C-alpha cells in the first residue's frame, strides 16, 4: 500500500511534497452524517489550526522567538498532537509557510478570475501580485529566509519551497498571458515574472518596518514604483525583449 501524500516524513523532500498538497488531501471527505466528523477530518482541522498559529507566531515573534509550545497553545491543541503532526520546529514552520503560499496562490487565481471584464489584465495581475507582499505572507517568508542563511538543514527546504512557489506562480502567469515562441513578447514572458518578483522583494523589504511618509522626504512611494512596473510591463509585452549574451 502506498503511503498517503498527507503523511509527514522526516526527509526534506517529503516535507515539501506534503505541504504542497495540504489543501487537497484525498483522505479528507465530508461525513454523510450531519454534525459528525471523521478521524481524517479532525486530523486535518488540527493541522490547520497548528499551521495558522505558526504563521501568527512567526509574524509576531519571528523565527527565533517562535516555539512549538507557544504554537500548540495558540492552536488550542496538546503538545502531543503537535509533535504527532509536526515533529520538529522546522517541519512546522516550513509547512506553515507552504500552506500560506498555496492559499495565497489560490486567492490570486480566484481574484483574477473574478476581476471586472473591463479591467486591464496586466495591471490587475500586477496589483494582485503586489497584494501578496502585504500582511503575514511576506513577513513569514522573510523570517524563514533569514533563518535559513545560517541553518543548512532549513536552507535546503527553503530553497525547494521557493522553487515550487516560483514554478506555481509562473504557471499561473502563463495561463493568464499565453503566448507562443514566435510571439514578440515571448522573451518577456520568460523573465517578466522574475523581474517583478525581484522588484517587489526589494520594495517590500524597504517597507518592512511599516509605512513611511514618502512625500515628506521627497522619496518615491511604493505605489509610484508599482505604476512604473505596469508601464514597463505593458511596453515589454508589446515588443520583442532585447537581451545580451551572458557567459
Amino acid at each position: 500500500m502506498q503511503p498517503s501524500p498527507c503523511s509527514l516524513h522526516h526527509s526534506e523532500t517529503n516535507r515539501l511534497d506534503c505541504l504542497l498538497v495540504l489543501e487537497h488531501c484525498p483522505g479528507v471527505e465530508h461525513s454523510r452524517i450531519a454534525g459528525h466528523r471523521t478521524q481524517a477530518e479532525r486530523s486535518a482541522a488540527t493541522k490547520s489550526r497548528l499551521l495558522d498559529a505558526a504563521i501568527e507566531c512567526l509574524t509576531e515573534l519571528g523565527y527565533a522567538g517562535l516555539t512549538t509550545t507557544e504554537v500548540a497553545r495558540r492552536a488550542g491543541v496538546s503538545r502531543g498532537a503537535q509533535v504527532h503532526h509536526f515533529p520538529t520546529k522546522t517541519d512546522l514552520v516550513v509547512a506553515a509557510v507552504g500552506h500560506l503560499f498555496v492559499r495565497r496562490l489560490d486567492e490570486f487565481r480566484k481574484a483574477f478570475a473574478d476581476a471586472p471584464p473591463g479591467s486591464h489584465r496586466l495591471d490587475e495581475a500586477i496589483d494582485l501580485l503586489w497584494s501578496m507582499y502585504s500582511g503575514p505572507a511576506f513577513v513569514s517568508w522573510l523570517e524563514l529566509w533569514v533563518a535559513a542563511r545560517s541553518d543548512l538543514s532549513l536552507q535546503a527546504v527553503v530553497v525547494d519551497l521557493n522553487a515550487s512557489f516560483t514554478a506555481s506562480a509562473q504557471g499561473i502567469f502563463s495561463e493568464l498571458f499565453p503566448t507562443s515562441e514566435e510571439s514578440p513578447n515571448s522573451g518577456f514572458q520568460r523573465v517578466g515574472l522574475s523581474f517583478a518578483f525581484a522588484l517587489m522583494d526589494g520594495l517590500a523589504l524597504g517597507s518592512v518596518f511599516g509605512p513611511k511618509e514618502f512625500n515628506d522626504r521627497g522619496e518615491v512611494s511604493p505605489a509610484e514604483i508599482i505604476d512604473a512596473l505596469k508601464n514597463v510591463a505593458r511596453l515589454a509585452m508589446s515588443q520583442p525583449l532585447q537581451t545580451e549574451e551572458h557567459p
Side-chain angles (χ1 to χ4, degrees):
M1 180 181 294
Q2 294 296 318
S4 167
C6 292
S7 299
L8 287 179
H9 303 283
H10 294 286
S11 69
E12 295 164 355
T13 300
N14 286 335
R15 274 205 309 268
L16 183 61
D17 290 341
C18 178
L19 64 88
L20 291 177
V21 296
L22 282 172
E23 295 288 293
H24 309 287
C25 294
V28 179
E29 300 176 354
H30 291 291
S31 172
R32 295 182 180 181
I33 303 177
H36 176 72
R37 293 193 304 173
T38 65
Q39 176 60 36
E41 288 174 327
R42 290 194 296 272
S43 178
T46 298
K47 285 182 181 179
S48 181
R49 292 200 302 273
L50 284 166
L51 295 173
D52 288 341
I55 290 298
E56 183 181 292
C57 287
L58 195 59
T59 303
E60 293 180 13
L61 308 175
Y63 184 82
L66 180 149
T67 65
T68 53
T69 301
E70 176 62 14
V71 171
R73 185 190 70 78
R74 295 192 185 201
V77 306
S78 68
R79 281 278 290 131
Q82 175 262 303
V83 172
H84 172 72
H85 290 295
F86 304 104
T88 69
K89 175 178 175 177
T90 298
D91 290 329
L92 176 59
V93 172
V94 171
V97 174
H99 171 79
L100 181 61
F101 278 175
V102 168
R103 189 165 61 194
R104 291 311 307 268
L105 284 172
D106 286 344
E107 290 172 356
F108 177 90
R109 191 189 299 272
K110 182 179 185 303
F112 194 86
D114 294 343
S119 62
H120 195 289
R121 289 175 61 84
L122 190 57
D123 285 6
E124 186 74 14
I126 290 174
D127 283 336
L128 289 170
L129 188 61
W130 175 236
S131 74
M132 297 178 69
Y133 282 80
S134 61
F138 178 74
V139 175
S140 299
W141 179 239
L142 179 62
E143 285 289 338
L144 196 60
W145 194 267
V146 171
R149 188 189 68 82
S150 56
D151 185 333
L152 294 181
S153 62
L154 181 59
Q155 186 178 117
V157 183
V158 168
V159 169
D160 284 345
L161 176 58
N162 184 63
S164 296
F165 174 76
T166 301
S168 297
Q170 185 66 60
I172 294 175
F173 187 75
S174 297
E175 290 176 17
L176 299 178
F177 305 102
T179 186
S180 64
E181 293 185 1
E182 293 76 22
S183 174
N185 57 32
S186 60
F188 181 75
Q189 289 282 56
R190 185 174 61 84
V191 302
L193 189 62
S194 295
F195 174 77
F197 275 145
L199 185 146
M200 291 181 185
D201 281 342
L203 190 57
L205 188 60
S207 304
V208 75
F209 296 116
K212 302 176 182 178
E213 297 298 331
F214 289 92
N215 292 336
D216 291 346
R217 297 186 299 181
E219 297 180 11
V220 178
S221 70
E224 291 175 289
I225 295 175
I226 294 301
D227 284 343
L229 173 61
K230 293 175 184 177
N231 290 328
V232 170
R234 284 196 295 268
L235 181 63
M237 290 287 282
S238 66
Q239 55 187 286
L241 180 68
Q242 301 297 319
T243 60
E244 298 180 2
E245 292 291 333
H246 296 284

